[in-house]
Amino acid sequence: DQQVKQNSPSLSVQEGRISILNCDYTNSMFDYFLWYKKYPAEGPTFLISISSIKDKNEDGRFTVFLNKSAKHLSLHIVPSQPGDSAVYFCAASGNTGKLIFGQGTTLQVKP
Amino acid sequence: DAGVIQSPRHEVTEMGQEVTLRCKPISGHDYLFWYRQTMMQGLELLVYFNNKAVMDDSGMPKDRFSAKMPNASFSTLKIQPSEPRDSAVYFCASSAEGQITSYEQYFGPGTRLTVT
């Protein structure tokens, strides 16, 4: 039973354009959401997060949107750069300290 | 400041053998997590510790997997006997008590395990 789903295994965008990565969850008890970025042969690194009391959080080129009624969040990267090419994981937590991760989306940004 | 350290980085073993993965968390971090990355399941949480005590091991196949944290700076994940389906990348992560409200975890580089 996958509580956090990333339905797009891969995404390809042109440099300078917007990248939109999507994530859906099923557990309404989740109250904190995070995005991690992973390069090959490295561990995931924290990118950005959002609490369930907000619907948007922005950090430079990265913005996360949360739609609680739809149990959906998205990560927007504007403008996309070739160095953004990586696997992106969304994760959710329900106040236990434990994170539930999605399967990941591989983003390729073409120069 | 050193990040999370894992060893070995790569391990190739034969089915039936015992495998031990090691992790040194970031100094001062109270939480330690073991994950397994597979293509189908993404990052699965196997077990996590708070102040060396197991908090949740529901994701760990207990017939063959065991995890220990004998002190605040060291943890092991042991698989005995290993099976080909255990082939995956295993990550260790840690976080600090104060950060648990933001849930940010710091990951090691992973151990790539291949069981033939």
Side-chain angles (χ1 to χ4, degrees):
Chain A
D1 179 29
Q2 199 76 20
Q3 296 187 67
V4 177
K5 294 182 183 180
Q6 294 176 256
N7 291 317
S8 298
S10 62
L11 175 68
S12 181
V13 299
Q14 208 64 37
E15 181 179 5
R17 305 295 292 267
I18 184 171
S19 296
I20 300 176
L21 296 95
N22 294 303
C23 179
D24 298 297
Y25 62 96
T26 57
N27 190 338
S28 57
M29 299 301 291
F30 288 149
D31 61 359
Y32 209 87
F33 304 89
L34 305 87
W35 284 93
Y36 279 78
K37 178 178 179 179
K38 184 185 178 305
Y39 291 118
E42 294 182 10
T45 55
F46 171 74
L47 187 58
I48 192 169
S49 62
I50 187 166
S51 163
S52 60
I53 63 172
K54 295 186 175 182
D55 55 17
K56 177 182 174 181
N57 187 26
E58 192 171 350
D59 182 1
R61 297 185 297 112
F62 302 90
T63 303
V64 56
F65 295 92
L66 175 62
N67 182 333
K68 283 181 292 184
S69 60
K71 295 191 179 69
H72 177 84
L73 63 155
S74 60
L75 175 67
H76 292 210
I77 307 173
V78 183
S80 302
Q81 299 174 353
D84 296 329
S85 298
V87 179
Y88 289 79
F89 290 98
C90 95
S93 184
N95 199 30
T96 63
K98 175 176 159 177
L99 293 180
I100 307 297
F101 283 85
Q103 305 96 312
T105 297
T106 300
L107 173 66
Q108 182 185 26
V109 180
K110 297 179 179 177
Chain B
D1 188 18
V4 175
I5 299 171
Q6 290 186 247
S7 65
R9 292 293 310 273
H10 302 274
E11 177 79 46
V12 180
T13 190
E14 292 183 350
M15 182 173 63
Q17 295 299 304
E18 177 179 297
V19 175
T20 299
L21 311 181
R22 296 172 176 81
C23 175
K24 177 179 168 55
I26 291 172
S27 178
H29 280 192
D30 306 285
Y31 287 81
L32 185 140
F33 305 82
W34 282 101
Y35 291 90
R36 174 169 64 183
Q37 183 186 8
T38 62
M39 293 300 292
M40 295 300 294
Q41 298 294 327
L43 281 165
E44 301 174 80
L45 178 66
L46 298 173
V47 59
Y48 81 98
F49 298 83
N50 179 21
N51 290 321
K52 303 179 291 180
V54 173
M55 299 302 293
D56 185 342
D57 62 1
S58 59
M60 194 169 72
K62 296 182 195 53
D63 56 337
R64 298 183 300 107
F65 284 61
S66 63
K68 294 184 179 179
M69 192 164 186
N71 59 62
S73 59
F74 183 66
S75 176
T76 59
L77 180 67
K78 188 175 292 187
I79 308 172
Q80 166 63 23
S82 57
E83 296 181 1
R85 60 179 166 150
D86 300 328
S87 297
V89 181
Y90 291 79
F91 289 102
C92 176
S94 69
S95 63
E97 185 74 41
Q99 285 174 331
I100 207 64
T101 52
S102 67
Y103 304 113
E104 183 179 341
Q105 297 176 15
Y106 296 81
F107 282 76
T111 295
R112 181 173 293 278
L113 173 65
T114 303
V115 183
T116 60

